[in-house]
Amino acid sequence: EAKAGGRGRVAVFSPELGASQRRRLTLERELREALLRDQFQVLYQPQVDIASWRIVGAEALIRWNHPKLGMVSPVEFIPLAEESGLINNIGAWVLARACSDIQGPLAGLHVAVNCSAVQLQRPGFVNELEQLMRAHQVPPDTLEIEVTESLLMENLSTALENLHAIKALGLRVALDDFGTGYSSLAYLRRFPFDKLKIDRAFIRELITTSDARAIVRTILNLAKILGMDTVAEGVEEPAQLEVLARNGCASIQGFLVARPMPAEDLATMVRDWVPFRTPLSSDELPES
Ligand code: C2E
Ligand code: MG
Ligand code: MG
Ligand code: MG
């Protein structure tokens, strides 16, 4: 029988455990070794400025190549890593990877790295970040930290201090998945965000539902009033790009441009990229 929970957890599988529970126990156990066994990989998804149609940056997205289970989604393992505290090691690894790619194939690009609220709640986080950036000679303005609002409020004062310290280092800070949390507006007042990332859920329904469109317009207006930069996530269709362009969204990220890819592939894409050619016809381009 399996004893779930607690530090001295024993993962002995029994038929009573459902398949999903067994998978969870396996992942929890093997997450610990995944770093040592070099099973993680970082892919990059380009972000394109709508007005100039230039690739202005990329988001770093972790992948876990599990030897038996294949590709495990971060949506599945990041929460497990957060619960066990392993996210601190994994997050540091992603940051180191990103710094070394900025020095290498991604030179000249801005790279956004997702950081868990768990990482931001550690007092030593910014110190380590600073050392890492110095070791890799990464210019501060090439790195951006993305945080989601979930969990952030739990240890507010440390997280707030860290976010201010990150900004003081010269990095930009983006609020990820904006619009999905229950207290999005409160976050905007308390945290020094430079950028809002509009959640994919709204972009998905941008064409089909009028309230998604109204929400996106409202977010874009809000960002404009607050002087914040904007990125729309999960843009898959030209029609979505068109609505975003008309409503003043600064940049997009999504399958319409490209799926996440290895750093070397992105370097090739950037090299061969032709700017000023949006998938929109010229009369659909924003006025400004
Ligand atoms: P996120 O930060 O909001 O990242 C965007 C997600 O949307 C990525 O999923 C990306 O592959 C996906 N995506 C981008 N464009 C499209 C599109 O056009 N259509 C669709 N259907 N999906 C699109 P991914 O890579 O599976 O990551 C999921 C989440 O896992 C991320 O959401 C982020 O919250 C978390 N995550 C990923 N890497 C890291 C990491 O290094 N550290 C931490 N703490 N979290 C990470
Ligand atoms: Mg993100
Ligand atoms: Mg997001
Ligand atoms: Mg997300």
Side-chain angles (χ1 to χ4, degrees), residues 165-200:
I166 289 168
K167 285 202 63 166
L169 282 181
L171 282 75
R172 285 162 48 101
V173 183
L175 181 52
D176 208 349
D177 305 335
F178 186 70
T180 54
Y182 64 95
S183 58
S184 305
L185 295 178
Y187 281 91
L188 286 190
R189 291 193 51 216
R190 299 187 109 136
F191 294 100
F193 295 110
D194 300 289
K195 196 176 200 174
L196 288 186
K197 297 196 75 178
I198 306 172
D199 195 75
R200 178 155 56 90

Side-chain angles (χ1 to χ4, degrees), residues 59 114 146 176 197 233:
E59 178 176 12
N114 293 284
E146 288 191 11
D176 208 349
K197 297 196 75 178
E233 302 189 303

